[in-house]
Amino acid sequence: MDDIPGLETGTLPAPRTFDALKDLVATGHARLPKRLSQAAQYALAHPDDIALGTAASIAAAAGVQPSTLVRLAHHFGYGGFSDFQLVFRDRLKSRASTYEERLRKIEDGTLGGSDEVALLGGFIQAARSSLDALSDSVSPAQFAQCVDVLAGADTIYLVARRRAYPLAAYMAYAFAKLGIRSVLLDSANGIDGEIADLARPGDAAIACSFSPYAPDSVAQAKALSSAGVPLIALTDSVMSPLAACATHWLEVSENDFGGFRSLSAGMTLAMALPVAIAERRRHQG
Amino acid sequence: MDDIPGLETGTLPAPRTFDALKDLVATGHARLPKRLSQAAQYALAHPDDIALGTAASIAAAAGVQPSTLVRLAHHFGYGGFSDFQLVFRDRLKSRASTYEERLRKIEDGTLGGSDEVALLGGFIQAARSSLDALSDSVSPAQFAQCVDVLAGADTIYLVARRRAYPLAAYMAYAFAKLGIRSVLLDSANGIDGEIADLARPGDAAIACSFSPYAPDSVAQAKALSSAGVPLIALTDSVMSPLAACATHWLEVSENDFGGFRSLSAGMTLAMALPVAIAERRRHQG
DNA sequence: GGCAATATGGAATGGTTATTCCACTTGAGT
DNA sequence: ACTCAAGTGGAATAACCATTCCATATTGCC
């Protein structure tokens, strides 16, 4: 080994975040030798390249040798270039970066001490990152189109089973409060099919279903769709059977904790939709 | 080589953007075999993982073999997994640059008004800050106490009306999946009171209600409580009538957007509780 | 129900990559 | 100008990773 890791910067542990690394370079970079300084400068100027490139490609771009990058990493106390690179990759993963780390920590914790709070924390994190994903996956245009269709409907039929049911249950409540006619297809006496058959093209339907898609929901959505009823789907991927038969669909991919997928993103959409429809109707008369 | 690249999907060149890939999967997904479909679904649901992970780590996360990922890439006409991965890396790079912009846009939008996306953004923000508040307002000890009580119950009775109903509906679903006896008091024929009367001190109840507290919920909670049934309340303040009669209660104060309060924090709690109870029971036997 | 075609799991392989090592250079102190 | 420590370039190496291959399992068809 060339040098004792961390000697130059004292015996501090390597910074685990990009910002911390930045500070370290800013305060102590006068002590860096020429090539290391050159490499460090390039790293801070092109963080994305560091995250996604190979040592060889980065070295070439920065005008140094690959070994210099390894040395730089050692200088800051990292185990090697790969370790150094992790900081840049985390940064790239927007906000989800600390999420996986935390999740792993929580998982370790639950195995060791069976701490209930870790569990709650895990679900909170899953919910949070699901929300982050929502703003990315639902585009303004898509949302507006869905609102358009639903605002023009006479009666809105709500289809959801099992895990997705709370979304429809909430929307039924919201629609009622907002003075929007809706029918929640959740009858316990098995007449949902017959009720749905009464839907007309002038109506519309919202179907919510996530993998593994409840057969009932899918069948009902298909029936409504082929009856000419405009169908808005809240589902989790392009592979969803709902995406295939829907007029428009909104992607809601939820993160999970311990196999239990969050509902926060879906629920948030379920809150926004009714209000948006009500707003649209008010402005259009 | 297993197959001629691109044969299955025609001789089209492999899509070079994430969206194009998405479309391809959407239109031709019926032709994908089970494992390939599974891998494709994971890829679309966790694009960041594909971008930054290794074939082995991704395969493990998706529950498939590394070779399956290579086959998937070939299926779509890519030269290999690495080529396939480039699409996801590009997406990550371009997204990272616009990410902060987007967040700012959402924040600005909430002030601006009439646009539908601003509305969605507003609800997302409300949900997010509700989650932040949740980790503060629910203490480890409180949560553990509630889990304690519920883990010792024979049957768990669920009380919720109106806006809080989705929480109870979800818990009923989760309890069923986890093999925990529960009764959701939501009968449409008005026999909830009689059913609740059958609850014994060896059972327990969870009541969810937020201001303005639905009279039905409060009455039912009080009845259960005075019958000696341990009562856990999910409610929004010390002033809540539920806080008065509950054995333990958890504070869930949701933020609102335009007067519509979020449900994310409550929903997250509703997800964590059943799992925590199941865990506790497993460890205690 | 049997056969062929396709899909899959898992180990072997070959290529690429980070890392290490060593000879050489640079620069600072005396 | 000499010496020594530190820095650097570049080749050698060892670890890792994507890829391939083959035996087994599954599916679809007759």
Side-chain angles (χ1 to χ4, degrees):
Chain A
M1 195 172 291
D2 305 323
D3 55 357
I4 300 162
L7 181 65
E8 189 68 22
T9 56
T11 46
L12 293 161
R16 294 320 310 181
T17 71
F18 180 73
D19 287 336
L21 176 62
K22 208 171 180 175
D23 286 348
L24 185 59
V25 174
T27 58
H29 90 282
R31 314 198 83 188
L32 282 177
K34 196 173 73 170
R35 288 282 119 116
L36 291 188
S37 169
Q38 185 180 335
Q41 235 168 315
Y42 182 88
L44 294 183
H46 308 273
D48 290 5
D49 292 354
I50 307 287
L52 295 175
T54 68
S57 69
I58 296 164
V64 299
Q65 291 288 325
S67 49
T68 303
L69 294 177
V70 178
R71 274 195 283 266
L72 182 69
H74 283 156
H75 247 282
F76 290 136
Y78 297 98
F81 171 73
S82 304
D83 189 23
F84 177 68
Q85 196 178 31
L86 282 182
V87 172
F88 291 79
R89 294 195 159 191
D90 279 352
R91 173 184 167 278
L92 202 56
K93 277 194 284 185
S94 59
R95 306 292 180 266
S97 58
T98 51
Y99 163 70
E100 286 199 8
E101 237 175 71
R102 252 189 248 185
L103 258 194
R104 214 165 295 128
K105 225 178 272 177
I106 286 163
E107 269 170 28
D108 294 347
T110 45
L111 295 175
S114 78
D115 192 6
E116 264 105 13
V117 186
L119 204 145
L120 179 57
F123 279 107
I124 291 176
Q125 282 298 321
R128 203 187 305 258
S129 63
S130 296
L131 287 172
D132 286 344
L134 181 63
S135 30
D136 283 338
S137 66
V138 173
S139 80
Q142 283 176 312
F143 188 71
Q145 280 177 331
C146 293
V147 173
D148 246 350
V149 170
L150 293 166
D154 175 51
T155 299
I156 297 172
Y157 287 77
L158 295 165
V159 177
R161 292 288 139 79
R162 306 177 66 82
R163 212 173 66 81
Y165 174 71
L167 304 188
Y170 178 78
M171 283 193 280
Y173 168 78
F175 282 139
K177 294 283 276 186
L178 290 163
I180 294 170
R181 287 160 59 101
S182 81
V183 175
L184 177 59
L185 297 173
D186 72 341
S187 68
N189 58 350
I191 54 164
D192 285 341
E194 285 80 353
I195 292 175
D197 284 345
L198 298 175
R200 293 178 296 252
D203 298 323
I206 303 177
C208 314
S209 187
F210 308 107
S211 168
Y213 314 96
D216 265 20
S217 297
V218 177
Q220 221 151 51
K222 278 185 180 159
L224 283 161
S225 174
S226 53
V229 179
L231 179 69
I232 304 299
L234 270 61
T235 191
D236 55 1
S237 101
V238 271
M239 319 268 297
S240 164
L242 288 191
C245 64
T247 313
H248 299 295
W249 66 281
L250 299 171
E251 183 174 342
V252 188
S253 65
E254 307 266 9
N255 279 83
D256 73 297
F257 176 74
F260 289 84
R261 255 168 300 160
S262 172
L263 267 177
S264 282
M267 194 50 95
T268 302
L269 251 186
M271 304 191 74
L273 261 182
V275 176
I277 294 164
E279 281 288 314
R280 179 71 63 94
R281 286 192 180 178
R282 188 176 317 160
H283 288 114
Q284 289 182 348
Chain B
M1 195 174 290
D2 304 324
D3 56 356
I4 300 162
L7 181 65
E8 189 68 21
T9 56
T11 45
L12 294 162
R16 294 321 308 182
T17 72
F18 181 71
D19 287 336
L21 175 62
K22 209 170 179 176
D23 286 348
L24 183 59
V25 173
T27 58
H29 85 274
R31 312 198 88 189
L32 281 179
K34 194 173 73 171
R35 285 284 119 111
L36 256 41
S37 166
Q38 185 179 335
Q41 222 165 328
Y42 182 88
L44 295 181
H46 307 270
D48 290 4
D49 292 353
I50 307 287
L52 295 174
T54 69
S57 69
I58 296 163
V64 300
Q65 291 288 325
S67 49
T68 303
L69 294 177
V70 178
R71 277 191 211 105
L72 183 71
H74 283 155
H75 223 87
F76 289 137
Y78 297 97
F81 170 74
S82 303
D83 189 23
F84 177 68
Q85 196 177 32
L86 283 180
V87 172
F88 291 79
R89 294 194 159 191
D90 281 350
R91 173 182 168 279
L92 196 61
K93 261 194 280 188
S94 58
R95 215 171 56 100
S97 54
T98 56
Y99 185 81
E100 291 195 4
E101 246 176 66
R102 205 169 308 181
L103 268 188
R104 211 168 299 127
K105 212 180 283 177
I106 287 175
E107 274 170 25
D108 292 348
T110 51
L111 303 173
S114 66
D115 194 9
E116 261 106 13
V117 187
L119 204 146
L120 179 57
F123 278 106
I124 290 176
Q125 285 230 321
R128 203 184 306 239
S129 56
S130 297
L131 286 172
D132 287 343
L134 181 63
S135 25
D136 288 338
S137 66
V138 173
S139 82
Q142 283 176 311
F143 188 71
Q145 280 177 331
C146 293
V147 173
D148 245 351
V149 170
L150 294 165
D154 174 51
T155 299
I156 297 171
Y157 287 79
L158 296 164
V159 177
R161 291 289 140 79
R162 305 176 67 81
R163 214 173 65 82
Y165 174 72
L167 305 187
Y170 177 79
M171 283 194 280
Y173 169 77
F175 282 140
K177 296 283 275 185
L178 291 165
I180 294 170
R181 289 159 58 101
S182 81
V183 175
L184 177 59
L185 298 172
D186 71 340
S187 68
N189 58 350
I191 55 166
D192 285 342
E194 285 80 353
I195 291 176
D197 284 345
L198 298 175
R200 294 179 295 253
D203 298 323
I206 304 176
C208 314
S209 187
F210 308 106
S211 166
Y213 314 97
D216 264 20
S217 298
V218 177
Q220 222 151 49
K222 277 184 179 161
L224 282 161
S225 174
S226 53
V229 180
L231 179 70
I232 305 299
L234 270 61
T235 191
D236 54 2
S237 96
V238 259
M239 317 276 293
S240 163
L242 288 192
C245 64
T247 314
H248 299 294
W249 67 282
L250 297 171
E251 183 174 343
V252 188
S253 63
E254 307 266 9
N255 280 82
D256 74 296
F257 176 74
F260 289 85
R261 253 169 301 160
S262 172
L263 268 177
S264 282
M267 194 50 96
T268 303
L269 207 47
M271 306 192 71
L273 261 182
V275 176
I277 294 164
E279 283 286 316
R280 178 72 63 94
R281 286 193 179 178
R282 189 177 316 161
H283 288 115
Q284 290 184 346

